[in-house]
Amino acid sequence: MDAAHFFGDRVPALLATHGALLNGHVVCTFKIAGDGGGEWTLDLRSVPPVCTPGGSASSLLTIETDNSSFEQILADQRLLVDMYYRGQLKLSGNFATFKQVGDILTLLASPPRADIGLSHLMAPLEPTRFLRDYWPNKHVVVHGDPARLQSLSDLPILQSARTFLETWPGLVFAFPPGSGDEFDAPRVTAKEALVLFERGCALNVSNVEAHVPVLRTYLDNLVRDLGLPASVHMRCLCYLTPAGAGASPHFDQNANFVVQLTGEKIWHVAPNRQVTNPTARHAMSFPEPYAELLFQATGPFPTEMPADAETITLVPGSVLFVPNSMWHATTSNGPSLSLNFTFDQPNWADLVCEALRRRLVWDPKWRELATNANLALDEDRKILAQTHVAALLKEVPRVLGQLHAGQIVNMFPKPKPDDTVDLKRSWSELLTAK
Ligand SMILES: [Fe+2]
């Protein structure tokens, strides 16, 4: 989309519907050279915000570039800073607002078309009922109206496995039918993945939200609705599965909301009787479980799906909540595309250990380099480390006694994206010098 179309049509239309979300103090003029270019001022101070042709005396920042570069920025807003350093973009005015302009362009380029959260995802199941009866340990499937998920199913990249692979800029995990596990798979380019998909390989892609920013909004909404700590590791995964392919039996340590977008997929799910709230995943094809699971499991893991496994067919509009620890295996009836909202689940041990660590490192002796704590060293050196740790451990009960539950549950703010961009550095000259 060229700048004229973006600022002339799209932005005014978006401001009319989403303006309230964007009100702030940024007033920015864009001078875009070449065909499809022009000059516009985006004024978010105005109530409602407006985008008007021409410059403005109240503009805080002016961004100058050519239309070809601007189109690239619209496709991937993370290029904004990179282009500045490479001299493809000129700035004048208040540099401090530059990062916010990037965030605003991100919203304008892919605005949330519906506020997808728990109520949309699990409809017709009421969120209060989901939270009371299922979350976080009991699976449930809903087969709601696909229209409720239109803001997902309308995303161009999510139209089909082919459109996904034709658009996806990153690498893709590919695994053939009957392979041991989805994570025991090579990563290939999207172009190679398309060939493998047509030859029957299942594909999976992680961190889809990195290239589809609106998904970050939906992940944030779900973190809020589910009451997860703001520090939770969240991501979107896409599963592109041809007929007959799928995942071998395994369980995960995270919570998954599986949204079936196209095609049909058969899920076999069964309760896990060996471990509750595991901190690692395990596939039945693994030669042995991760070491930490050996201390958590009450017995050996099965090598085939339990006899009481339930079969669930997902069709477009279906959403399946798969809690951690639940055994599952999948097969696709035909080409299938599904999107997972996945949340690693910080447990109480994580929160308390992090709080303790933050308190201990107030003291320089806890910040000392941990030397000699290495299995490969000789006994004398390891004893030095053991003696040192034994002395430190004596302090732990006192420090633990200083921690308060109120502090611990409030001490994990949402990780902030890196917004300390130093535009005054001379990278631009270094990178563009002949
Ligand atoms: Fe899984």
Side-chain angles (χ1 to χ4, degrees):
M1 183 185 302
D2 63 26
H5 184 201
F6 182 71
F7 287 114
D9 304 326
R10 179 160 187 169
V11 172
L14 289 171
L15 291 180
T17 53
H18 291 81
L21 293 174
L22 292 164
N23 255 139
H25 70 276
V26 170
V27 183
C28 182
T29 297
F30 296 85
K31 289 184 178 176
I32 314 294
D35 282 349
E39 185 172 343
W40 296 269
T41 297
L42 182 63
D43 183 350
L44 302 184
R45 272 186 187 159
S46 165
V47 181
V50 290
C51 182
T52 50
S56 166
S58 59
S59 192
L60 300 172
L61 180 71
T62 298
I63 297 179
E64 293 179 58
T65 189
D66 60 77
N67 188 55
S68 159
S69 300
F70 187 73
E71 286 187 350
Q72 288 179 53
I73 292 166
L74 283 186
D76 184 351
Q77 299 81 43
R78 292 168 306 166
L79 293 174
L80 200 62
V81 173
D82 202 40
M83 284 191 169
Y84 167 74
Y85 286 136
R86 291 177 187 284
Q88 291 168 261
L89 197 116
K90 262 179 61 185
L91 299 180
S92 52
N94 181 355
F95 285 10
T97 56
F98 183 61
K99 175 64 172 58
Q100 287 157 283
V101 172
D103 293 342
I104 290 159
L105 283 178
T106 299
L107 278 172
L108 291 171
S110 52
R113 279 173 284 176
D115 186 25
I116 283 206
L118 195 57
S119 59
H120 288 81
L121 216 52
M122 299 314 290
L125 182 63
E126 287 291 324
T128 47
R129 231 194 108 207
F130 172 77
L131 293 170
R132 187 193 65 205
D133 296 343
Y134 300 99
W135 175 254
N137 290 120
K138 193 170 187 306
H139 77 288
V140 64
V141 63
V142 296
H143 301 289
D145 181 356
R148 78 194 192 284
L149 304 173
Q150 196 177 350
S151 64
L152 277 178
S153 54
D154 274 359
L155 288 171
I157 192 171
L158 297 183
Q159 294 310 298
S160 67
R162 176 172 284 276
T163 61
F164 188 97
L165 294 169
E166 286 172 349
T167 314
W168 183 248
L171 295 174
V172 176
F173 284 101
F175 49 106
S179 69
D181 184 59
E182 62 190 273
F183 285 90
D184 176 20
R187 287 196 300 171
V188 298
T189 65
K191 196 172 169 187
E192 292 166 332
L194 184 54
V195 175
L196 293 172
F197 182 83
E198 284 163 359
R199 292 178 185 169
C201 285
L203 309 172
N204 101 49
V205 181
S206 192
N207 301 111
V208 181
E209 73 287 355
H211 297 284
V212 188
V214 72
L215 294 178
R216 288 202 290 267
T217 309
Y218 299 157
L219 283 164
D220 284 341
N221 292 345
L222 288 167
V223 165
R224 174 201 63 203
D225 294 349
L226 294 167
L228 284 163
S231 57
V232 66
H233 178 215
M234 58 187 184
R235 59 204 178 277
C236 282
L237 296 100
C238 259
Y239 286 85
L240 296 72
T241 319
S248 69
H250 68 280
F251 67 78
D252 300 300
Q253 82 284 19
N254 47 38
N256 273 299
F257 291 83
V258 182
V259 181
Q260 189 68 27
L261 293 168
T262 65
E264 260 186 34
K265 203 160 181 187
I266 313 297
W267 280 69
H268 303 283
V269 299
N272 190 329
R273 297 186 174 89
Q274 288 74 38
V275 64
T276 305
N277 297 327
T279 56
R281 71 188 293 275
H282 176 71
M284 292 185 188
S285 59
F286 286 179
E288 57 188 37
Y290 289 109
E292 63 190 279
L293 287 177
L294 296 174
F295 295 96
Q296 298 170 13
T298 55
F301 292 127
T303 52
E304 55 187 47
M305 281 296 278
D308 60 349
E310 180 184 347
T311 299
I312 296 169
T313 302
L314 300 188
V315 297
S318 303
V319 175
L320 172 64
F321 166 57
V322 187
N324 73 27
S325 86
M326 178 142 230
W327 291 107
H328 54 281
T330 62
T331 323
S332 184
N333 272 347
S336 153
L337 177 63
S338 56
L339 177 78
N340 280 24
F341 292 99
T342 298
F343 304 93
D344 282 1
Q345 295 165 279
N347 55 43
W348 296 116
D350 294 329
L351 261 63
V352 171
C353 286
E354 176 58 17
L356 179 62
R357 193 198 74 85
R358 290 187 189 195
R359 178 60 185 82
L360 290 175
V361 295
W362 289 6
D363 185 333
K365 65 175 178 296
W366 281 94
R367 303 199 298 270
E368 281 177 11
L369 180 66
T371 52
N372 297 324
N374 185 320
L375 189 65
L377 296 177
D378 61 55
E379 278 308 306
D380 287 349
R381 290 179 70 182
K382 282 191 284 189
I383 285 171
L384 281 176
Q386 286 168 27
T387 307
H388 193 72
V389 171
L392 287 171
L393 282 176
K394 287 183 183 158
E395 285 193 16
V396 172
R398 178 181 60 81
V399 178
L400 267 176
Q402 293 170 352
L403 297 180
H404 299 288
Q407 285 173 320
I408 291 173
V409 298
N410 288 315
M411 75 185 305
F412 296 94
K414 183 180 172 185
K416 283 187 80 174
D418 179 16
D419 55 1
T420 52
V421 179
D422 183 358
L423 299 169
K424 295 182 291 302
R425 286 180 192 235
S426 57
W427 299 125
S428 189
E429 291 97 278
L430 287 169
L431 286 165
T432 55
K434 296 278 184 261

